[in-house]
Amino acid sequence: ELALLVHTGRAYQRGFEFTLALHMRTRRERLGDDPMAGWHGPRHGKFDDDVLRFGIEFADGRKATIFDPHPWWGDPERVTTPEIVLMQRGGGGGGTSWDFRFWTWPLPPKGPLDFVTEWPSEELSLTRVQLDSAVVREAAGRAEMLWPVDDGGGQARGWTRRYA
């Protein structure tokens, strides 16, 4: 009845991005049926079985989900840098097909990189798929600086891009 897949990865020197695709046999018509719209409630304490759950886990046990707060959200006095970030960076779709782009920081350590999902109302039990993180790290090692950019504080940084 549904298929989820991770594809189209890009690796950078400090992190990586990928697309999560969702395809469903039965068309979803109502605005509330958009799986992405359901992700906002749990960030504010509303969580039920109708929400698609997605996260990643590094080999060293660090985890991140689509519901985790990001460093710039909330009270600046209490903001801390997380150990791992999984941040949605756009996406869309409708009816029977959606694509969601994600950014992950930092690069994963050696070992498996797990993509984990669950969607109780759609009868998708907790599912974990592993990828050897070497694929991501090796691609990041091939990333090339396109041009140097001064960050305003005298530190040079650059634009990098490499597909994994």
Side-chain angles (χ1 to χ4, degrees):
E1 292 300 314
L2 70 89
L4 284 166
L5 59 133
V6 172
H7 67 90
T8 317
R10 296 181 189 181
Y12 301 84
Q13 292 173 340
R14 295 191 175 130
F16 65 101
E17 60 185 23
F18 60 89
T19 299
L20 174 69
L22 166 62
H23 302 285
M24 300 189 75
R25 181 185 303 258
T26 305
R27 184 172 189 78
R28 298 171 73 91
E29 300 287 345
R30 300 170 304 168
L31 180 60
D33 284 343
D34 183 340
M36 190 179 348
W39 292 343
H40 301 296
R43 290 182 179 137
H44 303 288
K46 299 175 185 174
F47 204 92
D48 60 38
D49 287 348
D50 291 329
V51 177
L52 170 65
R53 297 137 194 215
F54 179 70
I56 59 172
E57 183 175 4
F58 286 174
D60 62 9
R62 289 180 288 168
K63 300 175 185 179
T65 76
I66 54 178
F67 308 118
D68 295 343
H70 299 292
W72 54 88
W73 292 356
D75 181 359
E77 300 283 322
R78 295 191 274 174
V79 170
T80 60
T81 302
E83 293 182 341
I84 181 175
V85 171
L86 175 67
M87 180 174 66
Q88 185 182 350
R89 299 211 38 199
T96 61
S97 182
W98 292 263
D99 284 314
F100 309 108
R101 288 188 1 250
F102 288 93
W103 166 254
T104 302
W105 171 90
L107 290 172
K110 289 182 180 180
L113 167 61
D114 291 3
F115 297 91
V116 184
T117 189
E118 180 181 38
W119 199 356
S121 69
E122 297 299 323
E123 299 181 13
L124 176 63
S125 59
L126 185 64
T127 303
R128 179 180 301 265
V129 175
Q130 290 188 341
L131 169 74
D132 185 346
S133 67
V135 172
V136 176
R137 291 191 325 280
E138 288 167 7
R142 294 188 307 269
E144 301 172 18
M145 183 181 295
L146 299 177
W147 51 79
V149 178
D150 185 340
D151 71 357
Q155 296 288 328
R157 60 181 176 82
W159 285 85
T160 59
R161 179 158 293 182
R162 179 61 97 182
Y163 292 90

